[in-house]
């Protein structure tokens, strides 16, 4: 019997924000306070024609993230996400956005029921994945990723996104719109209603 392959586990803790706009440009911002690559922010962008772009802050992040999710284009650009009294100011290459964040969302109130250590545990996330997909179509808590990786989303809090303004490559984004249909970067999307969630992402992969 051949030995089982060694598995490496990587954890990313921070926030993910999903935003739809009336221009048809949708984007997901990952603001990672702790990760194997240190603190960083990256942005996944999907255009009205379905094409996708990764905006990454450096080549190392670009290589790892593009090996985990699906993109048509990868760009290394300066990425800045500055928290403000109203929400977030985002500056990432061709994307400029001011995003307002409101109070805790209905999803956030439900998430408070589960203790955080359990909510982040991959075993729990595997069990509840079918329920999560029913409650929030397009979303999920466990699934496969690129490079033979297995991924788990442990969401522990959520707030509503209430407004957005800005531009992509100089063209206005328009106003806030639902993430409908779901974005298609990986096995799961953000909820249909634009939100920012507190999350710990666990990625298990074969050792190099």
């Amino acid at each position: 019997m051949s030995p089982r392959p060694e598995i490496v586990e990587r954890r990313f803790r921070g926030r993910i924000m999903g935003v739809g706009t009336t221009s048809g440009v949708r984007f997901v911002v990952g603001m990672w306070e702790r990760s194997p690559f240190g603190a960083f922010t990256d942005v996944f962008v999907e255009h009205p024609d379905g094409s996708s772009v990764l905006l990454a802050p450096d080549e190392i992040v670009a290589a790892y993230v593009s090996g985990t999710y699906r993109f048509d284009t990868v760009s290394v650009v300066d990425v800045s996400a500055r928290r403000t009294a109203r929400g977030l100011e985002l500056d990432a290459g061709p994307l400029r956005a001011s995003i307002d964040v409101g109070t805790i969302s209905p999803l956030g109130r439900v998430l408070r029921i589960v203790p955080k250590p359990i909510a982040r545990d991959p075993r729990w996330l595997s069990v509840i994945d079918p329920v999560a997909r029913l409650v929030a179509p397009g979303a999920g808590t466990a699934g496969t990723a690129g490079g033979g990786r297995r991924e788990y989303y442990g969401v522990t809090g959520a707030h509503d996104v209430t407004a957005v303004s800005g531009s992509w490559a100089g063209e206005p984004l328009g106003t806030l719109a639902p993430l409908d249909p779901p974005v298609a970067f990986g096995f799961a999307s953000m909820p249909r209603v634009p939100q920012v969630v507190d999350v710990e992402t666990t990625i298990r992969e074969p050792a190099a």
Side-chain angles (χ1 to χ4, degrees), residues 26-69:
R26 294 105 60 74
F27 56 92
V28 176
V29 186
M31 296 163 281
W32 304 108
E33 298 164 358
R34 288 166 43 187
S35 86
F37 311 111
F40 70 91
T41 298
D42 59 357
V43 187
F44 302 179
V45 180
E46 188 175 86
H47 293 292
D49 64 1
S51 62
S52 58
V53 182
L54 167 63
L55 303 175
D58 59 48
E59 296 286 356
I60 294 174
V61 169
Y64 188 81
V65 174
S66 64
T68 306
Y69 303 94

Side-chain angles (χ1 to χ4, degrees), residues 68-130:
T68 306
Y69 303 94
R70 298 184 297 270
F71 302 98
D72 297 307
T73 305
V74 177
S75 295
V76 175
V77 298
D78 291 332
V79 181
S80 170
R82 183 174 61 86
R83 297 179 71 173
T84 68
R86 296 176 64 92
L88 189 76
E89 289 288 333
L90 179 65
D91 188 341
L95 179 63
R96 306 282 189 276
S98 296
I99 304 150
D100 292 357
V101 177
T103 58
I104 187 169
S105 67
L107 173 62
R109 287 191 284 272
V110 172
L111 292 169
R112 284 180 169 178
I113 297 171
V114 183
K116 289 183 178 180
I118 295 175
R120 295 171 177 148
D121 191 320
R123 293 168 297 181
W124 165 258
L125 296 170
S126 295
V127 170
I128 66 166
D129 180 65

